[in-house]
Amino acid sequence: MAVSPRGNGYQAEFVIKGERYRRQFETHELASKWELEVRTALKLGKALPEAPEQQIGGTDAGSVGNALRAAKEKRWAYQRGSSRAVLNAEKFVEWVGAKTPAKTALHEDKIHEFLRYLKNDRKVTGSTINRYLSSISVLIKFARVERPDLPYQEKGASRLRFFTEEEVELVVQTLTLWGRLSERDLFLFLIDTGARPYSEGTSARWSQFRDRTVTFGELQLTKTGKARTIPLTTRALEAVARQKERKHNQAGPWTDITEWQMIELWRNVRAHLPQLNDTVIYTCRHTCASWQVQRGVDLLRVKEWMGHNSYQTTLGYAHLAPKHLMDNLSVLEGGASPRLRLVNGD
């Protein structure tokens, strides 16, 4: 028997009539059994047996880290030129957290968030993003979770999706009719504050709300590691007040709402409103920034409001600016200031 230890399992590898056969297994018994079945099938002229389906073991079973290990052992270990695919998958798993449940890590919300990280922080091209998505597709297969529509990039496509006012109204009406009032108020809060949905929105505590403001980063770890305080719109303030009246005994307005609960709800929203099939919960954050830029707020103030760590991230919204704000952009980019016109000798 040609079975030998390899990594965290055992590999069956043998050659018959010049043809090499090789598979990775969790136990020595499974590897030996598969080799015997293959040899028997070849002698009898029957179809070769498939490698038995198995859950790669470990304390992280069911996690995205487990899916990565399975993909490396059962797919990429035998595929020439797969080193780049493995590296991309490893980077994704490192970003999302190896112990994150695969069902959450490989949901389209997380995948879209990862793509935003690649675009805004890593400045990768569309073709590179597609290579990452190919690796993620393999992880989805080995995790055995529902396959989302992967947003493969067209050449030159880089614009951010945001809600129109009409779309926001449709979502509000839908959630109200469904009786999902807490989620409706969270949706409005995210639209008007630009809060990151889970690290800032659902994590917010009552103590972070003071004098018509909310402070992110005091009690929870924000993406940038910095605290910021922003004023609340009347609509956002009313949403918080409604939650205070109903949930004053809990830690915060939406601390009872889980990430997976919102993911499932948004899936139903998209099914009900097909025009939103290219949106995720994080689209609320893009909407807040996009609306500000469209209405003439300069990019540096948008950066401060959104808590962007890099000005380059805020520049992703520059194409939405009214034409007169492009002078601001020229100055911020290091160009010459626009010439001022004197009026009445002033």
Side-chain angles (χ1 to χ4, degrees):
M1 294 291 183
V3 175
S4 59
R6 182 180 176 87
N8 294 324
Y10 293 85
Q11 184 181 83
E13 182 177 10
F14 51 96
V15 177
I16 298 178
K17 295 182 178 180
E19 186 75 22
R20 183 178 298 276
Y21 300 88
R22 182 170 57 186
R23 288 288 188 280
Q24 182 79 10
F25 297 89
E26 185 178 359
T27 66
H28 189 284
E29 180 183 4
L30 287 173
S32 299
K33 181 175 181 291
W34 180 78
E35 180 187 0
L36 180 60
E37 290 175 348
V38 169
R39 291 181 180 275
T40 301
L42 288 172
K43 286 182 179 179
L44 299 177
K46 294 183 177 181
L48 297 182
E50 292 291 333
E53 294 290 342
Q54 56 185 321
Q55 174 76 29
I56 303 296
T59 58
D60 63 344
S63 69
V64 69
N66 183 77
L68 172 62
R69 192 161 61 248
K72 289 166 73 172
E73 294 180 2
K74 299 168 69 177
R75 167 79 171 263
W76 288 318
Y78 317 114
Q79 196 174 67
R80 295 184 63 182
S82 62
S83 58
R84 173 54 61 180
V86 171
L87 183 60
N88 288 342
E90 288 175 339
K91 287 181 178 177
F92 170 74
V93 171
E94 179 182 4
W95 177 86
V96 78
K99 294 184 179 180
T100 302
K103 191 176 181 181
T104 299
L106 296 170
H107 188 274
E108 61 186 318
D109 273 3
K110 279 296 181 189
I111 294 172
H112 276 272
E113 188 177 346
F114 179 64
L115 297 193
R116 285 189 291 272
Y117 159 72
L118 294 178
K119 288 181 179 180
N120 297 334
D121 295 1
R122 298 280 304 280
K123 308 301 178 187
V124 304
T125 64
S127 58
T128 301
I129 286 176
N130 287 342
R131 285 193 286 271
Y132 274 101
L133 288 173
S134 294
S135 295
I136 291 172
S137 177
V138 174
L139 294 179
I140 291 169
K141 174 183 177 181
F142 282 94
R144 302 179 194 173
V145 297
E146 183 177 347
R147 176 174 294 275
D149 291 330
L150 296 179
Y152 285 98
Q153 306 293 293
E154 296 181 8
K155 187 175 181 180
S158 61
R159 296 296 166 90
L160 297 171
R161 172 71 156 96
F162 59 90
F163 295 114
T164 65
E165 293 187 42
E166 292 77 13
E167 288 173 336
V168 168
E169 185 60 32
L170 281 173
V171 173
V172 169
Q173 290 176 2
T174 298
L175 295 180
T176 301
L177 287 172
W178 289 354
R180 305 299 292 267
L181 303 185
S182 292
E183 292 88 346
R184 177 204 62 193
D185 285 346
L186 174 59
F187 174 76
L188 290 171
F189 178 79
L190 296 177
I191 289 286
D192 283 6
T193 63
R196 296 174 176 92
Y198 309 113
S199 64
E200 296 175 347
T202 58
S203 299
R205 302 300 196 261
W206 294 120
S207 61
Q208 294 172 233
F209 297 90
R210 307 184 195 96
D211 301 324
R212 196 170 178 147
T213 67
V214 60
T215 300
F216 299 121
E218 283 188 329
L219 302 178
Q220 71 270 76
L221 181 63
T222 63
K223 184 177 178 180
T224 63
K226 300 176 183 177
R228 74 185 191 281
T229 299
I230 60 174
L232 295 175
T233 64
T234 299
R235 184 167 65 173
L237 191 66
E238 291 174 349
V240 173
R242 285 191 292 268
Q243 297 309 301
K244 183 73 171 178
E245 185 177 348
R246 298 177 59 240
K247 304 178 181 179
H248 62 276
N249 290 326
Q250 68 181 37
W254 298 284
T255 50
D256 58 327
I257 296 179
T258 66
E259 180 175 353
W260 188 248
Q261 181 180 337
M262 287 303 294
I263 288 173
E264 286 296 313
L265 175 63
W266 200 253
R267 184 178 313 193
N268 292 334
V269 169
R270 283 198 304 261
H272 184 68
L273 301 171
Q275 63 268 45
L276 301 183
N277 62 5
D278 58 344
T279 66
V280 293
I281 294 298
Y282 207 94
T283 305
C284 295
R285 180 165 165 81
H286 292 318
T287 300
C288 182
S290 299
W291 284 5
Q292 290 185 59
V293 174
Q294 286 179 320
R295 293 165 186 177
V297 179
D298 66 80
L299 294 176
L300 280 181
R301 284 193 289 162
V302 174
K303 176 181 182 296
E304 182 179 358
W305 181 290
M306 301 302 294
H308 290 154
N309 192 43
S310 168
Y311 176 59
Q312 293 299 318
T313 301
T314 316
L315 277 178
Y317 300 93
H319 65 284
L320 300 172
K323 193 171 182 180
H324 70 277
L325 283 185
M326 299 315 291
D327 286 339
N328 299 48
L329 180 59
S330 176
V331 172
L332 293 173
E333 291 281 40
S337 300
R339 181 174 299 174
L340 297 179
R341 183 177 62 180
L342 298 180
V343 180
N344 295 330
D346 294 336

